[in-house]
Amino acid sequence: MRNALHLLAFFSLFVLSTRGDEHTHTYTELEEVVLWMNTVGPYHNRQETYAYFSLPFCVGPKEEISHYHETLGEALQGVELEFSGLDIDFKGDISKTEYCEIDLNEERLHTFIYAVKNHYWYQMYIDDLPIWGIVGEIGEGQENFYLWTHKKFDIGYNGNRIVDVNLTSEAKAELKAGTKIKFTYEVNWKPSTVSFEDRFNKYLDPNFFQHRIHWFSIFNSFMMVIFLVGLVFMILMRTLRKDYARYSKDEEMDDMERDLGDEYGWKQIHGDVFRSPAHPLLFSALIGTGHQLFVVALLVIGLAIVGELYTERGSMVSIGIFIYAATSPLNGYFGGSLYARMGGRRWIRQMLVSAFLLPGLVCTTAFFINFIALYYHASRAISFTIMLSVLSLCTFVILPLTLVGTVLGRNLAGQPNSPCRVNAVPRPIPEKKWFMEPWVIVPLGGVLPFGSIFIEMYFIFTSFWAYKIYYVYGFMLLVVLLLLVVVVCVTIVAAYFLLNAEDYRWQWTSFLAAASTAGYVYLYATYYFFFKTKMYGLFQTSFYFGYMALFSAALGLLCGTVGYVGSKHFVNRIYSTVKID
Ligand SMILES: *[C@@H]1O[C@H](CO)[C@@H](O)[C@H](O)[C@H]1NC(C)=O
């Protein structure tokens, strides 16, 4: 039942709100304002979070209010809102009031000391505005530990809306066995001139995100693109023109001469160049998924630019999942039609691989990390019902939509359309210099694309793994577009060199050469982990490397597909203009 509810909540994302009275964000005089306690966790491990009340904090006197319904996106991000029990009313000042008391027995003492030692801090929400506070403080000499016991809220209002919240932690109490600790709070309401639309601005960090370095990186990629496009254009135009001239001169010679002539280069392999790549099933599934990811990435970034998604918890993840599910027909269409053109017959198997390739990868990673999260009792642990709803989403939405796409793709675009016929017998691939081998071209292919994005990667990593909100999606869109242009240029050059060495295995080579960008991104992520963060512990480490691997895999699929499509157009182009005898 809850499973069905989750799905329902998920699909009504754009239509209805799943939240109660907080939704309108307007309050009347002395109307109840809810303080939600979210999570607590070590400062350096942003993803290692636990429910706030997993520490032995006590609840205020107020009775439980209406239950909070979380969205799928929130559940997946480990949001765990619980009512604080504090009585807060709109525009009602409250002077320092005690709300609860705890007896520090040995067990609680140890838990609190552990939390203070590890720099735990917690997060709360008032009217969807996040508030962070620190649990305690380590005394001089690392021997005494203190807990902050007084929470002072300064809440700014503008008309009937809440526009600003500041929390000040005061009154240290030393953690000693057998003592009682009293918790107090205080609320001061202040008129503020911040407008409701701008109330999230104080969480953004323009000094960081709009730093000169960031602009410089865009400029850098842009110059790289101009340089590369120019280079590709020049090389190809000059070489191709020479090649064409040479080939047409050959045609004027008679057969005898031509047999003896020095024919070499890409034209020689016209009978093999459109031969299906090895493992056509896997290849078409990868390409289909890559097409889908391309559209998902552009749509999500576009929506993020328009919609300021960071103001709503979990909405980015929810929207991402929704768009991924809704674009599944693209996966089927491009994967299925490519497989049909390559003469594949096991199309049902191809469709299944296509549909479950990425969801399967994500779920497997999440599953293993979930094991560790469960062991740690972290709030990131995904509950069984959430898993079920994700699973049913895959089977009842993604799979049928992929099927529709596959059937359409096979019927509308399944006819082979390559400009040259494929010979019955494969031509042997001649010996060539070592640097023309695919295993050299593939890793080299990723260097320039990585060079064009690694500064942006720093900003994206920092906002995901540290306490910063990423909001400059315009930058991201630009960088993605520049990256794709670089990828296409690089793969075209790679494909040209390969074909010129009379090696016709260009499909996998251009896919992998572009996808190797992701390998460098993963290496960079490893560097980032060791030198830019202070994460520790099994949970955070596996979370980091697991999700970075997923991110890199998705990026690799995206780049690989764009690279393959680019070089496919190039190959089609050069072989359709040459006269094949
Ligand atoms: C919160 O703190 C900021 C910065 O110190 C200040 O400008 C703002 O007025 C404070 N808001 C309230 C409601 O006290």
Side-chain angles (χ1 to χ4, degrees):
M1 187 59 205
R2 260 192 73 196
N3 175 23
L5 274 182
H6 274 302
L7 267 185
L8 207 69
F10 170 67
F11 282 116
S12 56
L13 188 73
F14 295 111
V15 192
L16 299 166
S17 157
T18 50
R19 252 170 289 149
D21 36 340
E22 278 180 353
H23 179 61
T24 58
H25 296 297
T26 56
Y27 296 87
T28 54
E29 201 94 351
L30 295 185
E31 192 182 330
E32 164 186 74
V33 176
V34 184
L35 174 69
W36 294 105
M37 308 312 279
N38 185 19
T39 49
V40 62
Y43 179 72
H44 295 302
N45 290 354
R46 185 175 165 182
Q47 275 71 28
E48 184 185 340
T49 53
Y50 306 95
Y52 178 78
F53 289 108
S54 66
L55 287 188
F57 284 120
C58 51
V59 192
K62 201 167 173 187
E63 291 295 307
E64 186 81 26
I65 53 148
S66 60
H67 182 69
Y68 179 78
H69 299 285
E70 59 184 3
T71 60
L72 186 63
E74 287 174 321
L76 293 177
Q77 286 189 313
V79 171
E80 203 149 298
L81 299 189
E82 271 170 276
F83 182 46
S84 59
L86 294 191
D87 194 8
I88 300 178
D89 301 317
F90 191 67
K91 291 204 216 172
D93 281 354
I94 296 171
S95 56
K96 191 165 177 175
T97 310
E98 183 187 327
Y99 65 89
C100 66
E101 186 183 64
I102 49 173
D103 259 329
L104 268 191
N105 59 19
E106 277 295 317
E107 190 196 332
R108 288 180 185 150
L109 180 72
H110 283 300
T111 318
F112 274 127
I113 288 183
Y114 180 81
V116 172
K117 259 189 187 163
N118 286 286
H119 308 279
Y120 268 41
W121 74 340
Y122 55 90
Q123 197 200 23
M124 311 179 281
Y125 282 101
I126 284 186
D127 194 51
D128 284 353
L129 287 174
I131 312 161
W132 289 274
I134 191 108
V135 170
E137 203 179 72
I138 307 173
E140 308 235 329
Q142 314 281 314
E143 272 155 24
N144 307 334
F145 300 95
Y146 299 93
L147 205 62
W148 294 107
T149 61
H150 180 59
K151 294 183 178 63
K152 181 173 145 216
F153 296 96
D154 290 310
I155 309 182
Y157 62 91
N158 188 350
N160 55 2
R161 291 163 178 276
I162 295 175
V163 293
D164 189 14
V165 184
N166 288 348
L167 170 75
T168 323
S169 298
E170 290 172 357
K172 283 190 281 192
E174 188 173 355
L175 288 165
K176 263 201 239 128
T179 53
K180 283 187 196 309
I181 291 188
K182 290 183 172 54
F183 286 91
T184 51
Y185 77 116
E186 174 185 346
V187 184
N188 302 314
W189 290 85
K190 292 176 185 165
S192 165
T193 51
V194 178
S195 73
F196 181 73
E197 288 70 34
D198 294 336
R199 64 180 191 153
F200 272 91
N201 286 3
K202 79 166 194 182
Y203 301 103
L204 310 181
D205 189 351
N207 285 338
F208 176 72
F209 282 108
Q210 292 171 28
H211 194 270
R212 265 179 306 133
I213 296 277
H214 210 165
W215 288 105
F216 173 74
S217 85
I218 301 275
F219 180 71
N220 174 38
S221 323
F222 189 69
M223 294 318 279
M224 192 185 286
V225 164
I226 292 186
F227 168 74
L228 266 177
V229 172
L231 190 76
V232 168
F233 199 73
M234 244 171 51
I235 292 184
L236 292 189
M237 281 305 120
R238 285 189 55 170
T239 356
L240 284 176
R241 200 173 317 128
K242 249 199 265 164
D243 291 345
Y244 284 132
R246 185 159 54 83
Y247 288 141
S248 58
K249 205 166 76 214
D250 283 349
E251 258 146 41
E252 285 155 17
M253 298 187 270
D254 60 35
D255 281 351
M256 235 297 268
E257 269 178 286
R258 198 183 315 161
D259 284 345
L260 300 172
D262 56 345
E263 285 220 325
Y264 62 92
W266 50 269
K267 193 190 158 189
Q268 296 304 308
I269 50 169
H270 62 80
D272 290 281
V273 74
F274 294 107
R275 191 178 295 289
S276 306
H279 313 294
L281 196 152
L282 177 66
F283 188 73
S284 53
L286 290 173
I287 296 295
T289 308
H291 275 91
Q292 186 186 1
L293 272 178
F294 175 73
V295 176
V296 171
L298 289 192
L299 281 180
V300 169
I301 297 177
L303 270 179
I305 293 177
V306 190
E308 302 206 331
L309 298 182
Y310 55 83
T311 58
E312 257 181 79
R313 275 189 305 275
S315 58
M316 194 84 181
V317 176
S318 299
I319 287 178
I321 295 177
F322 180 84
I323 292 182
Y324 185 84
T327 50
S328 304
L330 293 175
N331 183 348
Y333 183 88
F334 287 103
S337 59
L338 178 64
Y339 189 60
R341 284 198 300 275
M342 297 189 303
R345 303 206 180 283
R346 294 177 298 172
W347 68 275
I348 294 187
R349 191 180 297 192
Q350 188 275 333
M351 179 197 69
L352 288 175
V353 174
S354 237
F356 291 131
L357 185 73
L358 197 68
L361 215 59
V362 173
C363 289
T364 319
T365 315
F367 190 72
F368 281 111
I369 292 170
N370 211 32
F371 259 124
I372 306 174
L374 282 175
Y375 174 73
Y376 272 65
H377 301 293
S379 69
R380 291 249 159 200
I382 299 163
S383 68
F384 186 62
T385 50
I386 298 289
M387 280 193 218
L388 269 187
S389 58
V390 170
L391 200 68
S392 43
L393 183 77
C394 290
T395 5
F396 299 122
V397 180
I398 294 182
L399 187 59
L401 286 180
T402 314
L403 174 68
V404 171
T406 307
V407 171
L408 281 179
R410 290 184 68 85
N411 288 308
L412 297 180
Q415 295 305 316
N417 57 354
S418 40
C420 308
R421 263 182 303 110
V422 175
N423 292 345
V425 184
R427 189 175 189 272
I429 295 166
E431 286 281 320
K432 53 184 175 296
K433 297 220 177 57
W434 62 271
F435 55 83
M436 291 288 188
E437 293 288 346
W439 59 264
V440 182
I441 293 180
V442 164
L444 281 183
V447 172
L448 281 179
F450 172 70
S452 72
I453 56 166
F454 84 95
I455 296 179
E456 188 63 25
M457 284 298 129
Y458 172 75
F459 285 97
I460 293 174
F461 289 0
T462 305
S463 60
F464 193 77
W465 302 107
Y467 296 85
K468 289 207 188 290
I469 298 179
Y470 192 92
Y471 68 99
V472 284
Y473 288 97
F475 273 108
M476 196 193 260
L477 184 66
L478 260 180
V479 171
V480 169
L481 294 178
L482 293 175
L483 166 71
L484 298 184
V485 177
V486 175
V487 159
V488 169
C489 293
V490 167
T491 43
I492 286 179
V493 175
Y496 177 78
F497 280 130
L498 195 75
L499 295 177
N500 227 6
E502 298 178 19
D503 186 340
Y504 54 83
R505 299 169 297 180
W506 61 277
Q507 288 110 327
W508 273 110
T509 308
S510 48
F511 177 85
L512 292 176
S516 68
T517 310
Y520 292 104
V521 168
Y522 199 67
L523 283 181
Y524 179 64
T526 312
Y527 162 82
Y528 186 88
F529 181 86
F530 287 110
F531 295 99
K532 300 282 179 195
T533 72
K534 292 180 181 159
M535 299 177 193
Y536 59 91
L538 175 69
F539 174 69
Q540 185 69 24
T541 309
S542 51
F543 191 94
Y544 182 90
F545 284 101
Y547 281 99
M548 274 305 179
L550 276 185
F551 172 76
S552 305
L555 187 74
L557 273 175
L558 179 65
C559 291
T561 302
V562 170
Y564 165 73
V565 170
S567 55
K568 188 183 87 177
H569 282 290
F570 166 73
V571 171
N572 274 353
R573 192 66 188 268
I574 62 172
Y575 281 93
S576 61
T577 44
V578 75
K579 218 174 101 233
I580 307 293
D581 30 57

